[in-house]
Amino acid sequence: MLKKAGDSIFNDVHWQMDILQNIDVGLVVLDEQYKVVVWNSFMQNHSGKMPEKVLNRSLFSVFPELSEDWFRHKAESVFVLQSATFTTWEQRPYLFRFPHYRPITGTAEHMYQNSTIIPLPNTKGEVTNICVIVYDVTDTAVNKIAQQIATEKLKNLSRTDHLTALYNRGYWEQRLIQEFKRFERYQSPCSLIMMDIDHFKRVNDNYGHPTGDEVIRQVSRAIREQVRDLDIPGRYGGEEFGIILTNTPSDGACVFAERLRQKIERMVVHFDGKDIHFTISLGVCTLNDSYKSYKEWLEKTDQGLYRSKEGGRNRYTFME
Amino acid sequence: MSKYLLTEDQRDCLQEITNVAMGQAGDRLARLLDVFVVLSIPHVSVLNPTDIAMTLHSLNREDSDNQVVHGVCQGFIGGGIAGEAMLIFNGTDFNDLASLLKYEKAGDEQAENELLMDTANVLNGACLKGLAEQLDSHFSFGPPMLLGQHCNIHDLLVGNNMKWNQALVVEINYAIENHQINCDLLLVIAEHSIAGLLQKLDYLLD
C-alpha cells in the first residue's frame, strides 16, 4: 500500500516535470540575484543554449541584449508586491531574441513574445524566486500588424481624390472645420485659397475629357509642389480646388496665390500631340474673429474667386 | 437600485474590507515606490453598461483642461469572483509617471504606453492582492490592456458588447504625493460573477 502511494507521488512529480519540460511555453525561474534556476526545453530549443551553459549564471550575462535596468524594474515589483507583471509584444516585441524557426510558414524575422513574470513564494511566504513565462505570439502579432497596415491604407484611400491624389472634398472640409476651431482656440493666423481653372469647359469641349483630366492632374501636381508640409490642399469640385494655409497671415497667402497663378500661366500641358495653355483664378481670405462659422469663411473666399473671374480671370483677389 | 445585487449589510462589509485592502495596498506601494499614496475611501455602487460606456467614451480624448484621459483594463478571476479592474488616468504627467516607476524618462509613445500599463499593473496588483487576502482567496490576472491600443474602444461601445445588466463597482481614487498623478480605479464585477463574493461577505458578516 505504502509503496503504491509512493509510486503515485513519484509518478505525479515525474509527469509534472515532463509537462513543464515539453509545454510549448518558455519557463525560466530566477533567484534574487537573477541567476537561472530552471530552464525548460522551450527555452533551450529556441535559444540554442543548453541548461549547463545557462543554469546558475546571471540571466543578463547569458542574454546581454536584455536590458538589465528595464528587467530589474519589472521584476522588482514582483518581488516587493508579490504580484505578477506582464510584458506585451506591442510594447516590446520580445524579451529574448529568438529567430523565427519555421522555414515555410514562418512570417516574421523573430519570435514575438508576451510574457508574464510571477512570484514564487517559499514555504515561509517570502518571494525568493520569480518565474518568467514566455508565450510565442508571432502569428497573432503578424496578423495584427498586417491588419493595421491595411486599415492605414484604407484610411488614406478614403481621404484621397483618385484623379489628383489631393484630399477629397469630404476630408478636406473636415480639416477646414478643424482649422477653424483651432483658430478660435489659439488665434494662430490661417488663410484659405479657393481656385478654379479658367474656361475649363472649353478645354473639355475642344480637346476632350481625357485632356481635361490631364490638365486637372497637372494643376494638382503644381499645387502639391508648391504647398508646404502643414498646408492642406484638396479637390473641392470638378475643376475647383481649396488650399488651407496654416500659420499663414494675409501677405504670405497673397504671395502664395500669386506664385501659383504665375506657375500655371507658364505651364504647358502636352497631351495627344497638342500644347494647351490655361490660367487659374483665385480668391484669398485670412481668418479673423468676424467669421462665425467655417462656412462664412469659405463663402467669403469663394466671393474672392468670383470677383477674380468677373475682373477678367488669371488673377487673385484678396478679401478683407 | 443596489438592493438587487447586494444588501446594505453586504455593501457596508465590502466597503470595509476594500478599505482595509487599500490600506495594505498603500503600504506595499509606499515600499515599492518610496512615495506616499493618498487613497480615497472606496465607494461601492451598482452601475449598468451605459455608465461604463460613458466612461469608455471619455477615453483618449482631451478633458476640459486639455489633458488626454487614458484607460487600462485588467481581468482578474479567482475564488468564485471575476471581474475587470479599469484604471483611468486623469491628467497624468508622463515624466512624473516615469520618475515614479524609476524609469529614465518618458520617451516615445511606446514607452508611454508601457508606463501606463506598468503603473496599472502595479496599482491593480497591490489593490487586488489586498482584496483577495481579505476574502481569503487568490486572484489570477490577465495582462493589462491599454484601451484604444490593445482593443478598439469603438468596437467595445457598438454591438452591445457588454452582456450584463448590472455590475458591482468599487471606485477608488489614487493620488500620489508630490507627483502630478491622479487616477481612478474601478473594480467592475458583473452580476453573473458576484455569487462567490456574496458568499464570502455573508461568511464575514456571520
Side-chain angles (χ1 to χ4, degrees):
Chain A
M1 220 34 219
L2 244 174
K3 189 172 184 294
K4 201 166 184 196
D7 263 4
S8 126
I9 288 167
F10 182 76
N11 258 336
D12 275 359
V13 173
H14 186 71
W15 285 348
Q16 283 177 11
M17 286 307 291
D18 252 6
I19 293 167
L20 295 182
Q21 268 305 313
N22 292 303
I23 193 168
D24 196 26
V25 157
L27 294 173
V28 185
V29 175
L30 302 171
D31 66 13
E32 283 168 309
Q33 278 82 50
Y34 298 93
K35 282 187 182 151
V36 179
V37 181
V38 170
W39 189 248
N40 81 339
S41 296
F42 178 98
M43 295 305 293
Q44 182 181 321
N45 296 338
H46 284 281
S47 69
K49 294 181 199 297
M50 299 306 281
E52 57 268 28
K53 300 271 178 209
V54 176
L55 291 176
N56 277 321
R57 289 189 57 195
S58 154
L59 185 67
F60 309 114
S61 70
V62 182
F63 288 95
E65 75 269 22
L66 179 66
S67 161
E68 180 167 349
D69 284 348
W70 173 78
F71 190 83
R72 278 177 184 271
H73 268 134
K74 281 268 180 192
E76 200 190 338
S77 76
V78 182
F79 280 117
V80 177
L81 290 180
Q82 309 200 352
S83 62
T85 191
F86 302 85
T87 70
T88 63
W89 67 269
E90 284 103 330
Q91 268 61 53
R92 252 162 226 269
Y94 50 81
L95 217 54
F96 303 101
R97 197 174 200 292
F98 295 157
H100 205 61
Y101 65 99
R102 303 193 310 250
I104 298 166
T105 58
T107 39
E109 250 180 73
H110 56 78
M111 181 195 288
Y112 285 90
Q113 297 162 356
N114 281 355
S115 75
T116 308
I117 308 174
I118 58 168
L120 299 175
N122 62 16
T123 45
K124 291 179 206 146
E126 302 154 348
V127 178
T128 47
N129 291 86
I130 55 173
C131 178
V132 186
I133 308 169
V134 181
Y135 302 92
D136 178 357
V137 291
T138 310
D139 293 339
T140 317
V142 167
N143 283 339
K144 186 152 179 205
I145 292 168
Q147 190 195 7
Q148 280 166 349
I149 293 170
T151 311
E152 193 57 30
K153 268 191 197 153
L154 276 177
K155 201 157 91 186
N156 284 333
L157 270 179
S158 72
R159 288 171 172 181
T160 309
D161 174 67
H162 294 280
L163 180 65
T164 62
L166 300 177
Y167 290 131
N168 61 24
R169 177 169 174 170
Y171 181 68
W172 184 79
E173 225 169 318
Q174 270 182 34
R175 294 292 302 267
L176 187 67
I177 295 169
Q178 254 178 34
E179 291 308 318
F180 185 83
K181 286 186 180 157
R182 210 189 299 275
F183 176 78
E184 285 184 318
R185 185 180 283 179
Y186 301 110
Q187 299 280 315
S188 61
C190 187
S191 300
L192 176 61
I193 293 178
M194 295 301 291
M195 56 165 275
D196 184 298
I197 303 169
D198 295 328
H199 298 303
F200 183 71
K201 194 173 170 319
R202 255 189 243 164
V203 176
N204 269 336
D205 290 349
N206 294 345
Y207 304 101
H209 284 281
T211 313
D213 283 353
E214 182 58 22
V215 167
I216 285 179
R217 235 179 259 135
Q218 299 265 0
V219 170
S220 310
R221 186 181 304 160
I223 293 173
R224 275 205 307 275
E225 281 167 7
Q226 196 178 315
V227 289
R228 300 148 303 178
D229 273 356
L230 296 177
D231 297 337
I232 305 157
R235 186 181 181 199
Y236 193 72
E239 73 274 18
E240 197 177 351
F241 301 86
I243 306 166
I244 307 165
L245 304 171
T246 60
N247 250 315
T248 310
S250 52
D251 48 347
C254 290
V255 169
F256 186 102
E258 177 57 19
R259 200 179 292 157
L260 187 61
R261 185 199 67 75
Q262 289 178 8
K263 190 172 186 174
I264 303 282
E265 190 180 32
R266 285 196 305 267
M267 200 157 119
V268 187
V269 171
H270 312 282
F271 195 76
D272 229 8
K274 297 180 194 78
D275 288 348
I276 303 143
H277 296 264
F278 54 93
T279 56
I280 56 170
S281 299
L282 311 95
V284 185
C285 181
T286 299
L287 195 47
N288 63 47
D289 286 323
S290 71
Y291 299 105
K292 297 283 165 272
S293 72
Y294 84 96
K295 281 198 167 135
E296 270 183 37
W297 181 32
L298 184 60
E299 269 163 30
K300 191 82 171 178
T301 319
D302 245 348
Q303 281 172 23
L305 170 56
Y306 287 124
R307 279 203 204 159
S308 296
K309 295 263 182 201
E310 280 164 11
R313 298 187 167 83
N314 192 23
R315 67 192 61 201
Y316 79 85
T317 308
F318 177 74
M319 299 298 285
E320 284 294 341
Chain B
M1 190 162 71
S2 65
K3 65 175 182 265
Y4 296 116
L5 277 188
L6 76 176
T7 64
E8 284 288 299
D9 283 347
Q10 287 171 331
R11 202 196 60 147
D12 290 347
C13 180
L14 179 59
Q15 192 141 334
E16 186 50 40
I17 61 166
T18 28
N19 205 10
V20 174
M22 283 311 104
Q24 296 171 338
D27 176 57
R28 281 205 186 86
L29 291 171
R31 271 190 291 147
L32 178 72
L33 308 172
D34 296 324
V35 288
F36 186 67
V37 184
V38 186
L39 291 157
S40 72
I41 291 176
H43 177 73
V44 178
S45 58
V46 174
L47 298 182
N48 56 44
T50 335
D51 301 315
I52 301 291
M54 272 171 61
T55 309
L56 288 176
H57 202 74
S58 68
L59 297 179
N60 298 349
R61 292 162 191 267
E62 290 185 359
D63 64 10
S64 50
D65 300 324
N66 303 331
Q67 299 265 21
V68 179
V69 179
H70 297 279
V72 181
C73 271
Q74 191 170 16
F76 60 90
I77 185 163
I81 304 164
E84 204 156 358
M86 178 158 65
L87 192 68
I88 311 286
F89 293 85
N90 308 303
T92 293
D93 184 287
F94 280 105
N95 289 317
D96 258 1
L97 266 193
S99 83
L100 177 70
L101 293 193
K102 305 187 183 80
Y103 282 91
E104 295 269 293
K105 54 181 180 330
D108 60 5
E109 198 189 330
Q110 283 308 313
E112 288 184 356
N113 289 342
E114 188 173 21
L115 262 181
L116 289 174
M117 290 168 53
D118 279 359
T119 312
N121 190 51
V122 164
L123 297 186
N124 292 346
C127 159
L128 284 164
K129 188 174 171 62
L131 184 62
E133 273 170 11
Q134 290 303 309
L135 294 169
D136 196 24
S137 56
H138 180 83
F139 294 146
S140 308
F141 296 96
M145 313 252 288
L146 187 55
L147 298 174
Q149 202 212 11
H150 294 114
C151 57
N152 188 317
I153 293 176
H154 183 74
D155 291 350
L156 295 179
L157 292 173
V158 297
N160 193 17
N161 186 59
M162 291 177 248
K163 300 197 183 335
W164 45 271
N165 296 312
Q166 287 191 318
L168 190 62
V169 177
V170 183
E171 189 179 345
I172 301 138
N173 182 270
Y174 283 89
I176 291 166
E177 207 174 57
N178 302 326
H179 288 70
Q180 195 202 326
I181 296 169
N182 188 320
C183 16
D184 286 310
L185 174 65
L186 303 179
L187 301 178
V188 182
I189 304 169
E191 57 206 352
H192 47 69
S193 313
I194 211 172
L197 178 63
L198 296 186
Q199 218 179 336
K200 293 268 165 60
L201 292 177
D202 287 340
Y203 175 76
L204 288 173
L205 283 167
D206 276 344

